[in-house]
Amino acid sequence: MTDLHKLYDPRSAQEKWLPFWDENGYFDADVVRDKPSHTIMIPLPNVTGALHMGHALNGTLQDLITRYRRMQGHVALWMPGTDHAGIATQAVVERRMLEEEGLTRHDVGREALVNRIWKWKDAYESRILNQLKQLGASCDWRRTRFTLDEICSNAVRRTFFKLFGDGLIYRGKRLVNWDTFLQTAVADDEVFHENINGHFWTFTYPVVDSDERIAFSTTRPETMLGDTAVCVHPSDKRYAHLVGKNVRIPLVDREIPIIADGLLADKELGTGCVKVTPAHDPNDYACGLRNNLEMINILNANGTINENGGEFESLDRYKAREAVVAKMEELGHFVDVEDRQIPIMHSDRSKTPIEPYLSDQWFIRMDNLAQNAMDVVDDGRVSFFPARYAKTYMDWLGEKRDWCISRQLWWGHRIPIWSKTFNGRTTDIPSLEAKAMLAEDGETVVFTDELAEQLSGRYTTTDDGELLLLCVNNGCKELELQLEAAGFEQDEDVLDTWFSSALWPHSTLGWPDLEQNPPLNNEPDASSTSKNNVLDYFYPGSVLVTSRDIITLWVARMVLTGLYNMGDIPFSHVCVHPKILDGFGAGMSKSKGNGVDPLDLIDRYGTDAVRFTIASFAGETQDVRLPISYECPHCEELIDPSHYKLGKLEVVVPKTLKGEFPVPAGEPKPVLVCPNKKCRKESQFSTPLYDADPDVPVARMVSERFEYGRNFCNKLWNASRFAMMNLEGYTSGPVEENDLQLEDRWILSRLSTTATELQVLLDKYQFDAATRVIRDFTWNEFCDWYLEMVKPRLRDDNQRTTAQRVLVTVLESLLKMLHPFAPFITEELWQRLNEMAPERGLPQPIAATESIMIAPWPELPHNWQSSALESRFVRLQETIVAVRNIRAVYNIPLSTPLKLHIRCNDLVAAEMRDVAPQFDNLAKTELGDVGATVQRPSGSAGFALGDADGYIPLEGIIDREAELERQQKERDKLTGFITGHEKKLSNRNFVSKAPDQVVAEVRETLAGLKNQLESVEQIIRDLS
RNA sequence: GGACGAUUAGCUCAGUCUGGUUAGAGCGCCACGUUGACAUCGUGGAGGUCACUGGUUCGAGUCCAGUAUCGUCCACCA
């Protein structure tokens, strides 16, 4: 009848349906004018490494929404792609190059390094895309983009050009976080603070023309070389007489002023006097700007002291620190030193200390751009789910801090600025715009009119007038060649990686090319339309799904550039989902190396199980802890990572992973020994930090939490299997109203109610609640009650037809509702159902689609829902449970038949008789006397339900004492509740102040409880 | 230092927005149960003074204030 195996086999379903969907183009999203579009842009993963469970959560939710909307009739585009991730990727490749070959980027040069990074990118991009595909992601893969590809680069350069032309890009010397190892500026969000043991020195500077000395403290003595003032608080009487005088820096013999600045100096701290090094400290920098102080840079890019450091030149800054201290001591200006914990900024990428450093950078003016991005949230055009995250967004944008967009890296979008040393001939500049000419060493370089036009208004000079800077528009090779010929050079720096990802929602759709659609990867030349209708149709997008840590870095900037380039928001909803933490509560990240590869889990539990479990995590508040174990590849024993030793290296897998996990370099990789005494075999283990050796058994990372999803899938599988085993002779057609039994009406009511609830929850992005609703319906209602109740009718020729039609209807709708959560198993079951019941559904059967992916979302009649019917059913359930309870308490096996008498009113009695066969079916109990006059037979166990009392004669089986005790316990419980209610009702304030409805409810409940109590007491009297 | 979130059963989490009978689920635990949907299962059960202290209210897990602990983000620390 059916060849379904008892266990669902996820692997075979995945292998079968992924290619099927792909070949049929179900993932493809093309413009269909009379259908609504639904667009999700993937939060582009970095190509630094493989995806972890955080990405799997993110991807699952996006695919869930995409499949849901697709079934609802949208053209649902999910745009895939990856991010070059500038500094992160370059750092990974550089680190590996250094470890494996001992080479730095300066050894190999720009071109070779960039080539190496491209190779890395190719490897990881395909690995990432494969991970997404294995997850069932229904992205339009033909549209896969990469932030450095031609389409994206085009958008980057056009945006830069536009910003430059609008005067929103400027260059200036700014204090940046300088990574002396990578020799690059690092963004504020790419640094972390760490306390290290340091010292707190106190020195003095001599006041000029005075015998006085002024004392100050510092943790970085070498910065004295760059001091250009000392500062006191304006109201500090101790120093008031010194303000305006000068001090001499003994080390370099420079005279600097004593100034008063209330923002910098704090009377309570240290000596109350602070030295000012504007070029090497953020606060001092701000102070320097306020007071027009000189800014002396004392560092080279590599962290050594430069020529401004006098005799300390070319010493590393830490060596210089010692030398400076020694010199000051020698000169008699040392006061004291104490040990102190000092928070030091470190680069997230190189893990080395940051130096504040004055350097040339490009900036975007944020005032208006940020304001516009704030306005669209204010007026509700963009909304956050949950709403509180709008605050994060607004607070950050509200600062309107200019965006430093240049990075001293080789991997990224090179800044489209060409510059030339101008030897002071700044007066020639206006003539450039007028004549499109540039005088160069007596020669005249002439730009064509067309090219000159492009440069019109797109130049600037540095503050000192030494450089002429030109911003070059997209792909203008000719102009670039002419510029080169004229001695111009392109800026060495690249753009902040967020610059290109900020454009993602429109760049991927082909902007700024409004003439033709962006090419598809599998048909690169097929872009022949006269208009880019893809951009039109899919922009603005629908919802952005992301985790909260990039609301500022990414979400805000997408809104900002979307408004600037497109004049419209990039998406109307932002769905912020929880973070996946490791078992110790730390966030998973590629750099920490504590990520769990979703493929490991998919391997063990199946994709659908992983997706379903993951969706059940996605609530509104809590982050999700994911404790993991390793699975011994030899015996499948689970190995707890927190206490097990790693073979020969004697390393315990760390409790907290802070990037200090041992990465083997040329050494044998750590080995895990199975704790199972019968096994004791060795294996390597899955880690994102390096690949295991080939041909060695690898212990997968697993997490028992995913058994939740696996068990559910298996339950669904078996319920469907049961249904299909009972479809023999199935015919399609409507059902007669009179043929519908209580359980049919009930399950259809529950189905319709569940579908409504599910839809409401999905529309609010409450995935955790959605999984609960659908799971509870499937397991607790469909399987536990409906299937059990319908079994006898499926064996009865006269009743089978209606039962089959209802059963198939419910199953079909259930599969459809579950498809966005669990695409593979639902497709597998759909296909099998298609073979047995190609036409199905109520109230009117229709032909099923060839794939569940393209099936319409269930729209079930609302009038199926009946709360009266559902409460009637609840009474039946309670009665059955009460009987089962008695069986369990007295240990009466199912093989012993029971008889049940019920005392109740006529209405309930009629209902009970109506479902009499179910007592036998579900509890192996025969329904005996039912009605208002039923008396409790002696020697029986009983139960009271409020509107019905049940008696089960157990003469000879029942233990009178035990039954008495049981009933007394029940009485005490009821008495407690009743006392509580009576107390409430006797409170005059409650009766007068609480809403009438609440009071009435309490009275009603109390009456019910009293009824129950009366019945119980009756039983007790009988027993005694 | 600021912002946001969390603290509920042994574990992982719902429920709090919108206060109202006996606070739920999954896993784990206990007892019983396998000749056809499912042991990745079924039936029944035990297990929680809802972090703490105050307040508001007829009534607080739910609202308010404060405290403690944890997490995340932001800022700062001569």
Side-chain angles (χ1 to χ4, degrees), chain A residues 827-840:
Chain A
E827 181 73 282
E828 176 75 28
L829 292 168
W830 182 266
Q831 297 293 339
R832 305 222 182 208
L833 198 56
N834 280 4
E835 288 170 21
M836 317 183 82
E839 279 186 17
R840 54 188 183 249

Side-chain angles (χ1 to χ4, degrees), chain A residues 569-634:
Chain A
I569 53 170
F571 33 72
S572 36
H573 290 173
V574 180
C575 163
V576 181
H577 59 67
K579 296 176 64 148
I580 303 270
L581 312 176
D582 65 16
F584 311 108
M588 274 188 196
S589 77
K590 289 180 174 180
S591 52
K592 269 187 228 148
N594 59 351
V596 178
D597 188 340
L599 293 187
D600 272 10
L601 295 170
I602 284 174
D603 222 27
R604 181 177 164 103
Y605 303 104
T607 300
D608 293 319
V610 170
R611 286 174 59 122
F612 192 82
T613 308
I614 247 179
S616 79
F617 292 160
E620 294 210 310
T621 49
Q622 296 259 62
D623 288 337
V624 183
R625 268 184 195 223
L626 197 61
I628 56 124
S629 319
Y630 292 96
E631 178 198 48
C632 175
H634 308 283

Side-chain angles (χ1 to χ4, degrees), chain A residues 485-534:
Chain A
F488 280 78
E489 283 175 357
Q490 187 173 5
D491 199 299
E492 288 288 312
D493 290 358
V494 299
L495 288 167
D496 178 11
T497 195
W498 296 105
F499 190 99
S500 53
S501 39
L503 310 178
W504 189 247
H506 54 283
S507 66
T508 48
L509 293 169
W511 184 91
D513 189 345
L514 305 178
E515 308 297 313
Q516 51 188 353
N517 286 334
L520 302 174
N521 296 336
N522 55 350
E523 35 186 317
D525 301 323
S527 50
S528 55
T529 46
S530 60
K531 188 168 180 298
N532 180 342
N533 60 13
V534 170

Side-chain angles (χ1 to χ4, degrees), chain A residues 950-976:
Chain A
Y951 308 109
I952 297 176
L954 289 173
E955 200 69 72
I957 300 174
I958 186 173
D959 175 342
R960 193 174 293 262
E961 288 301 310
E963 176 68 3
L964 187 61
E965 199 179 314
R966 194 172 76 94
Q967 296 295 350
Q968 277 165 347
K969 218 169 138 193
E970 184 68 17
R971 178 187 62 186
D972 294 346
K973 205 166 113 191
L974 285 166
T975 311

Side-chain angles (χ1 to χ4, degrees), chain A residues 66-288:
Chain A
T66 300
R67 286 177 186 268
Y68 169 57
R69 295 299 182 201
R70 193 182 285 124
M71 290 173 80
Q72 283 185 326
H74 293 77
V75 175
L77 168 63
W78 182 13
M79 174 72 75
T82 51
D83 185 20
H84 68 282
I87 199 164
T89 314
Q90 180 169 329
V92 167
V93 173
E94 280 192 64
R95 198 184 309 140
R96 183 161 291 205
M97 194 167 77
L98 188 65
E99 274 168 15
E100 292 175 359
E101 303 166 59
L103 294 172
T104 71
R105 74 176 136 142
H106 302 290
D107 297 325
V108 298
R110 182 164 193 148
E111 198 180 331
L113 182 77
V114 169
N115 282 340
R116 281 170 182 255
I117 305 174
W118 273 104
K119 279 197 189 118
W120 174 279
K121 171 258 170 188
D122 287 341
Y124 276 91
E125 181 185 53
S126 65
R127 191 159 160 186
I128 287 166
L129 296 181
N130 177 53
Q131 284 177 304
L132 281 171
K133 285 176 182 170
Q134 293 306 312
L135 198 63
S138 60
C139 299
D140 187 346
W141 301 108
R142 304 168 306 163
R143 300 186 188 277
T144 307
R145 296 257 73 88
F146 176 58
T147 48
L148 275 180
D149 69 18
E150 205 181 321
I151 296 281
C152 292
S153 301
N154 225 19
V156 163
R157 285 166 58 119
R158 171 60 74 89
T159 304
F160 192 97
F161 191 67
K162 196 166 175 253
L163 287 165
F164 194 93
D166 288 345
L168 294 174
I169 285 184
Y170 66 95
R171 178 157 115 150
K173 282 204 183 296
R174 287 296 167 97
L175 201 64
V176 296
N177 307 314
W178 190 258
D179 182 328
T180 57
F181 179 78
L182 294 168
Q183 300 194 21
T184 178
V186 172
D188 286 346
D189 32 75
E190 290 165 334
V191 301
F192 64 96
H193 292 86
E194 196 167 280
N195 284 324
I196 63 160
N197 293 324
H199 304 288
F200 187 71
W201 284 273
T202 302
F203 299 104
T204 59
Y205 282 161
V207 180
V208 177
D209 300 328
S210 161
D211 296 335
E212 280 191 76
R213 290 182 169 198
I214 193 163
F216 57 89
S217 300
T218 179
T219 58
R220 293 189 297 155
E222 72 281 9
T223 59
M224 283 190 276
L225 299 169
D227 282 356
T228 55
V230 295
C231 175
V232 298
H233 197 275
S235 67
D236 195 333
K237 295 196 180 79
R238 292 173 293 178
Y239 300 110
H241 65 289
L242 293 174
V243 173
K245 293 192 172 179
N246 286 343
V247 294
R248 190 174 51 80
I249 304 175
L251 297 162
V252 286
D253 216 17
R254 186 166 66 234
E255 290 191 10
I256 58 174
I258 300 171
I259 60 167
D261 186 328
L263 290 177
L264 183 66
D266 182 335
K267 285 188 283 187
E268 312 300 325
L269 283 173
T271 63
C273 171
V274 53
K275 64 192 217 50
V276 188
T277 324
H280 294 287
D281 180 276
N283 294 313
D284 293 6
Y285 177 73
C287 174

